Amino acid sequence: MSVTFSDIESAAQTLSGHAHRTPVLTSDTVDALTGASVFFKCENYQRMGAFKFRGAFNALSHLDDDAKRRGVVAFSSGNHAQAVALAGKLLGIPATIVMPTDAPQVKLQATLGYGARVVTYNRATDSREAVAADVASKDGLVTIPPFDHPHIIAGQGTAALELMQDVGPLDYLLVPCGGGGLLSGSAIAAKAMSPGIKVIGVEPAAGDDVTRGFKLKTLQTCKNPDTIADGARTESAGAITFPLILSEVHDVMAVPDDELIHWTLFLMERMKMVIEPTGALGATALLSGRLAAQGKRVGVIVSGGNVDLFSLTGYLNRGRDAIGL
């Protein structure tokens, strides 16, 4: 169940003409603050607003005709939900999405808007995997997991592939980490295209299971982490992604929510990007000084922009005293 660079190259061909080739932005202000040359790969401008479209479209494209006719089921707090819903719509595949009752409204409404059927569950009492398995069994659907799937991982890795094609070799690549699909796929692509690069995963401190697991070399869990980075509230990395992270990634670190709020708002103000806090995890590790990158070329993947504007108001109130903009 491993994933290779050739799988990522194949995924890039599958996605050609369907996924956006998202822009790479730079900022003199960021470069001055960090002493580095920083390149932001902006997946907040991807279709449905996040990198998840890449993996979902790639995975659904590989289904056989019978599976496409029967349809798929996915479980997600938001971005994977929207990605599978949109990919299903584009490919003519019926999609059912299992979402928590407290999923951000912007993501729930977008999922419904793409034509998917939504089944809700209580995050505190129910297992999303169990709910999805029950739906799949009853309706004869194929389950498309959010990260632990070779075609998902290969699709996500195309973001780093494009970044390397556009800007050339890098010293570091910072990647948000939830279940590890984006991180593991990006690491495979980056190391193949930029030998010597150090790929670093970044997750919220309240959900630091991959950080702990990376240091201990054993899979760790974190039940329902309380963090504003809702896209990284996964309980653990996967059976496929975790070994890839151990073999391909240089380091994994965690950042607290207060720093994440600060730098999310900084990027919104200074770079005019609409991003969700999860999307700013990598940037936060760099801008907070947790990674010393003076004189280096640094890539930062901004994973998504599906922020709930009502929640954003709360972030503004929480972070306004510390921002100093």
Side-chain angles (χ1 to χ4, degrees):
M1 299 290 286
S2 186
V3 179
T4 67
F5 181 57
S6 63
D7 295 323
I8 296 172
E9 291 180 307
S10 176
Q13 293 179 356
T14 298
L15 290 167
S16 180
H18 301 286
H20 294 324
R21 189 179 185 95
T22 52
V24 177
L25 300 185
T26 59
S27 165
D28 289 343
T29 300
V30 170
D31 289 357
L33 282 172
T34 61
S37 297
V38 185
F39 305 91
F40 294 91
K41 177 61 171 172
C42 296
E43 286 296 288
N44 50 314
Y45 297 120
Q46 187 53 261
R47 296 186 75 160
M48 52 67 51
F51 75 97
K52 290 284 190 177
F53 178 77
R54 297 175 180 272
F57 191 92
N58 189 49
L60 267 63
S61 295
H62 280 82
L63 296 175
D64 60 34
D65 290 341
D66 179 60
K68 289 178 179 178
R69 177 187 56 79
R70 288 184 284 118
V72 299
V73 61
F75 46 88
S76 167
S77 64
N79 282 337
H80 182 60
Q82 294 174 78
V84 171
L86 177 56
K89 178 180 179 180
L90 295 172
L91 293 167
I93 301 172
T96 298
I97 312 296
V98 174
M99 300 184 74
T101 54
D102 62 348
Q105 282 298 303
V106 65
K107 297 181 180 182
L108 173 62
Q109 293 304 318
T111 301
L112 291 168
Y114 291 133
R117 175 174 68 120
V118 173
V119 175
T120 59
Y121 72 98
N122 186 326
R123 192 197 297 268
T125 60
D126 301 326
S127 162
R128 64 182 189 173
E129 290 85 354
V131 174
D134 183 59
V135 171
S137 176
K138 288 180 179 178
D139 298 341
L141 308 180
V142 177
T143 300
I144 304 295
F147 53 84
D148 209 33
H149 187 291
H151 293 147
I152 295 286
I153 296 167
Q156 319 304 31
T158 61
L161 180 148
E162 290 178 4
L163 174 61
M164 301 295 151
Q165 289 174 337
D166 288 347
V167 306
L170 296 170
D171 298 300
Y172 290 102
L173 177 64
L174 291 160
V175 186
C177 178
L182 178 63
L183 175 57
S184 56
S186 294
I188 294 167
K191 291 179 71 175
M193 299 182 71
S194 184
I197 192 173
K198 295 179 179 178
V199 180
I200 299 174
V202 187
E203 61 184 350
D208 66 344
D209 52 285
V210 181
T211 302
R212 289 183 284 113
F214 189 82
K215 290 175 170 54
L216 296 171
K217 308 305 178 189
T218 58
L219 190 66
Q220 302 291 302
T221 61
C222 187
K223 183 69 173 177
N224 293 331
D226 181 16
T227 171
I228 62 169
D230 64 278
R233 285 178 180 162
T234 49
E235 186 170 324
S236 70
I240 303 174
T241 60
F242 186 64
L244 288 173
I245 290 169
L246 290 181
S247 66
E248 304 294 334
V249 173
H250 176 72
D251 197 7
V252 184
M253 60 181 63
V255 296
D257 272 16
D258 59 347
E259 292 183 8
L260 188 55
I261 293 169
H262 179 105
W263 294 111
T264 297
L265 297 176
F266 174 89
L267 292 174
M268 288 180 171
E269 176 69 19
R270 296 299 176 91
M271 295 189 68
K272 316 307 178 188
M273 289 195 290
V274 176
I275 56 175
E276 57 194 284
T278 306
L281 283 165
T284 297
L286 177 65
L287 290 163
S288 66
R290 292 175 181 272
L291 173 67
Q294 290 84 356
K296 304 296 184 181
R297 288 170 53 84
V298 183
V300 178
I301 294 185
V302 178
S303 58
N306 293 318
V307 63
D308 186 313
L309 294 179
F310 290 102
S311 298
L312 178 59
T313 301
Y315 304 154
L316 286 166
N317 289 332
R318 288 171 60 182
R320 61 186 177 183
D321 293 335
I323 296 169
L325 296 178

